[in-house]
Amino acid sequence: MDTNQGYKNRALASLEGKWTNGIIAAIIYLLISGCIGQGAAMFFDVATGYGISGFWYILCLPLEWGITVYFLNLIRNEDIAYERLFDGYKDFVRIFLAGFLVSLCVVIGMLLLIIPGIIFAMMFARNCSG
């Protein structure tokens, strides 16, 4: 197992000469996922804005997958065409379900952490009060 500095040095070495490609891909991703969604949501009231932001997030899940694959390909010296950012839309259902399952596991994990914590806090508070 390598140290943090070792991982950092390898990452910087793999990006040598490819920074422009990475920055352009990140700008494309940020413009589509952030600016358009937030720009559309700010013209509505709070509840509708949250709904639009959530819907836009779901639509951008394949784009998030695409930028991850793009950077993996960039580091591995494989095909790095910007069109690869949108390859996730070819398999939208699978990517959506994977994102949903990850989110569900995170929520369940948080509930299993918070609810027992509240129960233990109440048990200790009852025992400490005498």
Side-chain angles (χ1 to χ4, degrees):
M1 187 167 205
D2 205 355
T3 64
N4 285 343
Q5 189 65 35
Y7 288 126
K8 179 183 168 188
N9 290 338
R10 283 194 313 189
L12 289 173
S14 67
L15 284 174
E16 196 168 312
K18 304 174 193 170
W19 284 94
T20 307
N21 294 336
I23 290 171
I24 291 172
I27 289 172
I28 291 170
Y29 170 75
L30 289 174
L31 285 176
I32 293 172
S33 68
C35 294
I36 293 174
Q38 295 302 317
M42 75 179 188
F43 292 110
F44 297 97
D45 59 43
V46 173
T48 307
Y50 281 135
I52 290 172
S53 292
F55 181 70
W56 190 254
Y57 174 74
I58 290 170
L59 286 178
C60 287
L61 278 174
L63 185 64
E64 186 175 326
W65 179 83
I67 192 137
T68 303
V69 170
Y70 179 86
F71 277 110
L72 281 173
N73 288 341
L74 182 77
I75 290 172
R76 294 176 181 164
N77 294 319
E78 296 175 4
D79 179 31
I80 53 170
Y82 296 117
E83 295 84 26
R84 301 286 312 250
L85 291 172
F86 304 101
D87 281 352
Y89 290 99
K90 296 175 185 172
D91 201 7
F92 183 81
V93 174
R94 185 178 63 92
I95 292 170
F96 171 76
L97 288 176
F100 176 76
L101 289 175
V102 168
S103 299
L104 185 66
C105 289
V106 168
V107 168
I108 289 172
M110 285 176 44
L111 289 177
L112 292 175
L113 181 67
I114 294 171
I115 293 175
I118 293 171
I119 292 171
F120 282 121
M122 291 174 74
M123 285 177 14
F124 290 132
R126 184 174 145 206
N127 291 335
C128 292
S129 62

